[in-house]
Amino acid sequence: MLEWKKNVRFVEPYVPGEQPKEEGIIKLNTNENPYPPSPKVVNLKMDLEKLRIYSDPEALELVSAIAGYHGLNNDQVFVGIGSDDVLAMSFMTFLNSDKPILFPDITYSFYDVWAKLLRIPYETKALKDDFSINIEDYYGENGGIVFPNPNAPTCLYMPLDNIRGILDHNRDVVVIVDEAYIDYAGESALSLIDDYDNLLVVRTFSKSRSMAGLRIGYAMGNSELISALNSVKFSFNSYTMNYLQIKLGVESIKDDVYFKDMIAKVKNTREWFSKELKRLGFSYPESSTNFVFATHNRVPAKELFEAAKKEKIYLRYFANLRIDNYLRITIGTDEEMKRLVEFFEKYLTNN
Ligand SMILES: *Cc1c(COP(=O)(O)O)cnc(C)c1O
């Protein structure tokens, strides 16, 4: 073995959903929004000569647009390159105990990758059979807690009372709630940040704001948490947010009517599509996200996944034991979901 290899940090990376290059596909595998970003974003004229200079290291325009939108002060908001970057920074900043951090066994599969990368001990807690989180699993001693709400890929929303239960038993560690899909669900944990100075709420522009390609994520919490995050960020990379992210992010926040409309459209399609799935023999937890997590009563998920792909319909399949008979299906346009239903109908009749 080459000597230098001893000092290399080897990690098993997170594997994102495929981004196929072929034309004419129906892409329902990475929970992107099927609709474009707000016309205010699409049509914004920008002064690209500004790219000559460094972007604002504090991304103040974007921070203050987000803070204003949520009724917070600027010092309660941290922005980053997608919520993946914000979450990684949060792991680095807050999860430095010798005790294991806790997260569900079935959840966003980046958490264990960051834990391994940053050498943070962790323990997973099994979801109940109905995929809900058993909050008492999180009452013991730990080095911090992270979970998405709604959880992914299970699409289940956990009511705020349960989150309060977890927080009440964890006053001495940071609790991170990853709200990537909250706009499709119920009440946000944001209303709890005044009561719990150890609560960090993380959001993204990638799903409900149709801007996955721009890479904007943010965290909200008590100003001391945000200040700690900024210290780590400024020790790592001052210019995380570029001119385009700042300008276009602000435009998205300004167009709340469009934003709410797109959410309503996706939720409507979700309700229709879920009923169709039931009719076709699928079952699923009630979705509070822009995707459904479904299993068929006869045909294995892997088979359906592969057959759909042959028809240029991309779904997400996880080989993970507990969920290896489930498909995660992003809600697309009505037209796309009709095509998928037609495909299932035909396939299930003939197989
Ligand atoms: C999509 C997703 C993210 C990451 O989103 P980006 O902002 O695009 O990095 C984080 N957490 C969960 C649960 C997600 O589904």
Side-chain angles (χ1 to χ4, degrees):
M1 178 164 144
L2 293 171
E3 210 47 29
W4 58 264
K5 287 198 177 175
K6 285 187 195 151
N7 297 322
V8 171
R9 191 178 288 238
F10 284 108
V11 282
E12 183 99 38
Y14 171 75
V15 184
E18 263 182 280
Q19 295 291 356
K21 304 285 183 290
E22 53 178 325
E23 295 289 312
I25 62 163
I26 296 181
K27 192 172 178 307
L28 307 172
N29 68 332
T30 51
N31 296 344
E32 288 141 341
N33 201 310
Y35 303 107
S38 152
K40 277 196 183 4
V41 171
V42 174
N43 298 319
L44 183 71
K45 294 275 171 288
M46 282 178 291
D47 180 6
L48 293 184
E49 290 190 2
K50 284 248 169 67
L51 294 177
R52 185 180 63 78
I53 59 169
Y54 282 111
S55 53
D56 174 12
E58 280 161 8
L60 193 59
E61 271 181 77
L62 180 59
V63 164
S64 83
I66 294 168
Y69 184 75
H70 290 295
L72 303 173
N73 299 324
N74 290 353
D75 64 3
Q76 294 175 291
V77 174
F78 172 82
V79 293
I81 313 165
S83 57
D84 286 341
D85 176 57
V86 173
L87 287 161
M89 287 281 163
S90 305
F91 272 52
M92 208 186 302
T93 309
F94 302 118
L95 307 179
N96 294 294
S97 166
D98 297 331
K99 292 173 197 151
I101 64 164
L102 309 179
F103 48 85
D105 63 338
I106 297 165
T107 194
Y108 189 37
S109 41
F110 227 136
Y111 299 156
D112 64 332
V113 175
W114 288 317
K116 285 174 199 151
L117 175 70
L118 298 166
R119 297 171 182 166
I120 301 167
Y122 69 91
E123 240 176 60
T124 59
K125 297 290 181 188
L127 296 179
K128 296 187 206 166
D129 286 340
D130 65 0
F131 292 144
S132 63
I133 288 177
N134 181 18
I135 56 172
E136 280 144 39
D137 287 343
Y138 297 82
Y139 288 1
E141 261 199 280
N142 65 73
I145 293 173
V146 56
F147 56 87
N149 194 38
N151 195 8
T154 62
C155 67
L156 279 183
Y157 172 75
M158 174 159 74
L160 278 201
D161 276 348
N162 293 18
I163 296 190
R164 208 176 274 122
I166 291 178
L167 285 161
D168 284 334
H169 288 82
N170 289 280
R171 302 310 300 255
D172 301 328
V173 294
V174 172
V175 176
I176 301 169
V177 183
D178 177 355
E179 291 194 336
Y181 302 102
I182 195 68
D183 296 313
Y184 301 105
E187 215 189 333
S188 164
L190 189 57
S191 58
L192 305 178
I193 64 172
D194 288 334
D195 297 337
Y196 300 92
D197 59 9
N198 57 328
L199 167 64
L200 192 75
V201 177
V202 177
R203 297 269 186 99
T204 176
F205 278 48
S206 296
K207 277 72 184 233
S208 53
R209 289 195 178 274
S210 307
M211 293 168 90
L214 195 64
R215 315 302 302 132
I216 302 177
Y218 58 102
M220 300 173 285
N222 163 292
S223 61
E224 281 186 66
L225 291 180
I226 299 305
S227 154
L229 270 173
N230 272 311
S231 300
V232 168
K233 175 209 126 147
F234 279 104
S235 311
F236 205 75
N237 177 0
S238 312
Y239 307 105
T240 49
M241 306 310 283
N242 65 43
Y243 177 73
L244 300 181
Q245 288 168 312
I246 295 169
K247 288 290 174 197
L248 296 173
V250 169
E251 288 309 301
S252 169
I253 295 279
K254 278 187 197 159
D255 198 351
D256 205 39
V257 172
Y258 181 85
F259 174 61
K260 299 262 161 70
D261 269 3
M262 293 307 107
I263 291 166
K265 274 175 93 158
V266 167
K267 283 165 86 170
N268 273 334
T269 308
R270 177 181 80 194
E271 298 326 307
W272 173 82
F273 178 66
S274 302
K275 285 199 196 97
E276 290 293 291
L277 281 182
K278 190 161 282 169
R279 179 175 66 79
L280 294 164
F282 286 91
S283 56
Y284 45 81
E286 220 43 65
S287 170
S288 292
T289 58
N290 67 339
F291 59 90
V292 291
F293 193 56
T295 184
H296 193 258
N297 60 18
R298 183 172 54 81
V299 182
K302 187 150 187 270
E303 181 182 327
L304 289 171
F305 165 76
E306 279 160 4
K309 195 159 158 178
K310 288 205 183 96
E311 298 296 311
K312 294 192 176 193
I313 303 174
Y314 283 75
L315 311 174
R316 190 88 192 255
Y317 172 75
F318 302 91
N320 174 338
L321 210 57
R322 259 191 99 178
I323 54 172
D324 68 358
N325 203 21
Y326 279 79
L327 290 168
R328 195 193 68 186
I329 307 170
T330 305
I331 301 299
T333 61
D334 287 333
E335 189 50 42
E336 289 173 322
M337 301 326 275
K338 273 187 200 130
R339 295 252 316 265
L340 176 59
V341 167
E342 281 161 20
F343 160 76
F344 278 146
E345 222 153 23
K346 206 164 125 212
Y347 190 87
L348 293 168
T349 312
N350 298 325
N351 292 275

